[in-house]
Amino acid sequence: LLPSLLVGVCGSGWPRVLCRTGSMSVQERDPCPHRILDDIGGAFAMGAIGGGIWNSVKGARNSPRGERLLGSIQSVRARAPVLGGNFAVWGGLFSTFDCSLVWLRRKEDPWNSIASGALTGGVLAARGGWRAASRSAAVGGVLLAMIEGLNIFLTRMMADSSPPPYAPPAVYAPPMPQQPSMPVPRKAASSELMTDSAPQS
């Protein structure tokens, strides 16, 4: 369940913000052939680092006094790569199913992630029989559905409360200099024209 929770979170669109530096939305994800290798490497690193921290504390607590540092190192060397490998397998299967569904359906939406989580859980538990596989598939599908639902909720909430991030800045237009007004010649009135044209005695 733990690999499905963390690696499944990193396999869908929103959670990658929490799993790697920099913000990455669903539209900005890597193309499918590279996405599989990317998710395998990221999942292995997450499992190895998380397992190293967990097993270092566990190994130190289970070791006698004076040998806690050695016990912590031995526990990390024994268990951290195994947990990283489990995470890598989960992430690789999840991304493979996700890319396959994207290719088959010709679109990328939350249903691909939900179905990929269910298929991954079922495949990993297939050795335990169809009952164990069906239970694991149901858990994976429900888990990814909750993640995608939370993703949609957060996306809508942040889109309503924040302005668009790439709004163009307002362009400042300097005021135009005023042109000096030219005097307009005044037309003579008809009475003035009649007075001027009359003969003077």
Side-chain angles (χ1 to χ4, degrees), residues 21-168:
T21 58
S23 61
M24 178 177 290
S25 62
V26 176
Q27 291 78 11
E28 297 173 348
R29 296 179 67 187
D30 296 332
C32 262
H34 304 286
R35 186 188 306 178
I36 298 174
L37 298 177
D38 186 26
D39 287 344
I40 290 175
F44 179 82
M46 180 186 301
I49 294 173
I53 296 173
W54 173 264
N55 287 287
S56 64
V57 177
K58 184 178 179 181
R61 291 184 59 184
N62 294 334
S63 299
R65 290 181 177 272
E67 297 182 359
R68 290 184 176 180
L69 179 60
L70 181 59
S72 176
I73 294 174
Q74 290 178 350
S75 178
V76 169
R77 291 178 60 184
R79 295 300 305 169
V82 175
L83 188 58
N86 293 337
F87 272 66
V89 170
W90 212 102
L93 285 175
F94 180 89
S95 297
T96 302
F97 285 128
D98 191 16
C99 291
S100 301
L101 291 174
V102 169
W103 180 77
L104 289 174
R105 302 180 66 227
R106 302 298 181 186
K107 62 180 179 179
E108 188 167 359
D109 56 7
W111 290 109
N112 291 339
S113 298
I114 295 172
S116 299
L119 290 172
T120 304
V123 168
L124 291 178
R127 292 186 300 176
W130 66 271
R131 292 184 179 179
S134 60
R135 284 196 301 266
S136 182
V139 170
V142 171
L143 181 63
L144 266 298
M146 294 173 58
I147 292 172
E148 292 296 335
L150 182 60
N151 178 22
I152 295 173
F153 172 74
L154 292 177
T155 302
R156 291 181 178 178
M157 184 178 64
M158 295 181 66
D160 295 337
S161 61
S162 61
Y166 302 108

Side-chain angles (χ1 to χ4, degrees), residues 1-27:
L1 182 60
L2 184 60
S4 61
L5 177 62
L6 296 179
V7 181
V9 161
C10 292
S12 57
W14 152 71
R16 285 175 172 268
V17 178
L18 303 179
C19 301
R20 59 169 57 190
T21 58
S23 61
M24 178 177 290
S25 62
V26 176
Q27 291 78 11

